Amino acid sequence: FDLKALIRKWQADGALGSRLEVLQRLVELQLAPLPCSGATPKFEPSRARSGARALAAAVTLTGRSIVSLPGDTNKEDRVDPEAVLPDWPEQDLDALLRTGVFDDVVYASVRFRHREIRELLTAEWAKELLDRAGARPEVEALFFRTQYGEQVIVPRLRPTLCWLLVLDEGVRDRALALEPDIASEGGDPSQLPLAVRQQMLAGIVAQIAADAK
């Protein structure tokens, strides 16, 4: 997948970039063609990406990997896109679900083609909400919980959190204070500020030394 993403980015731009830049550009390229039977809806790129982000978040938060196409009567254990994006016309929903971000249609349903793209889109969705006035406590509560009197990171959202560290300073500082090595689990640590990477490395070394005692 990494090689294919790099090739696609190179073919489109004649340049590579960081891991974050490659995946963000790949999402943009995959969302660009929005075919629909007989016509192509005139989507704004930002609207298409916002819709993909919302669906990615629904899959991540519910643990349901399958997304129904509009009109699918078998919605048990599937994400219903009409519930996630109620203001989208059925034709536009169908077109969005047939873009390259998703796999081919099987039994009136699709899945996100790549796990890491889904995680990145979920992180972008969370960042959108974090930037809204007063929404931060509720959004951060999705990623951090208090368990037996201790602050912990929600296991299901760890991969998404790795990307969110790069996108949001407040979440980054909170997560690294709890687990300095979480940034090394995924996402794109190279995009973190140098001082943060130095602090993170020092924390990892200190933890290894403490465990060795």
Side-chain angles (χ1 to χ4, degrees), residues 40-168:
T40 300
K42 301 300 182 182
F43 282 150
E44 288 292 332
S46 60
R47 183 169 181 257
R49 196 174 188 114
S50 182
R53 288 170 178 169
L55 291 172
V59 169
T60 300
L61 293 172
T62 63
R64 298 178 177 181
S65 61
I66 302 175
V67 182
S68 290
L69 262 64
D72 176 24
T73 57
N74 180 23
K75 289 187 169 60
E76 185 177 357
D77 295 327
R78 297 182 178 184
V79 170
D80 182 359
E82 294 171 290
V84 177
L85 299 168
D87 58 331
W88 279 56
E90 183 174 308
Q91 181 186 21
D92 289 0
L93 276 177
D94 187 77
L96 177 63
L97 293 171
R98 294 176 187 273
T99 62
V101 171
F102 300 91
D103 274 328
D104 296 336
V105 176
V106 177
Y107 298 118
S109 66
V110 294
R111 297 172 184 259
F112 277 90
R113 190 175 298 276
H114 299 296
R115 174 183 54 82
E116 286 185 297
I117 281 182
R118 172 175 58 80
E119 292 164 355
L120 174 58
L121 286 170
T122 303
E124 291 179 354
W125 168 85
K127 176 58 176 172
E128 278 187 319
L129 296 182
L130 286 166
D131 289 341
R132 296 180 184 177
R136 181 167 293 272
E138 187 175 354
V139 177
E140 288 194 3
L142 297 173
F143 295 90
F144 305 99
R145 300 273 174 84
T146 300
Q147 190 171 8
Y148 304 114
E150 298 288 337
Q151 284 281 307
V152 298
I153 296 171
V154 176
R156 175 181 287 179
L157 293 177
R158 288 182 76 93
T160 297
L161 185 59
C162 290
W163 287 110
L164 192 55
L165 299 181
V166 180
L167 304 178
D168 188 85

Side-chain angles (χ1 to χ4, degrees), residues 30-43:
Q30 289 178 330
L31 285 174
L34 293 167
C36 187
S37 54
T40 300
K42 301 300 182 182
F43 282 150

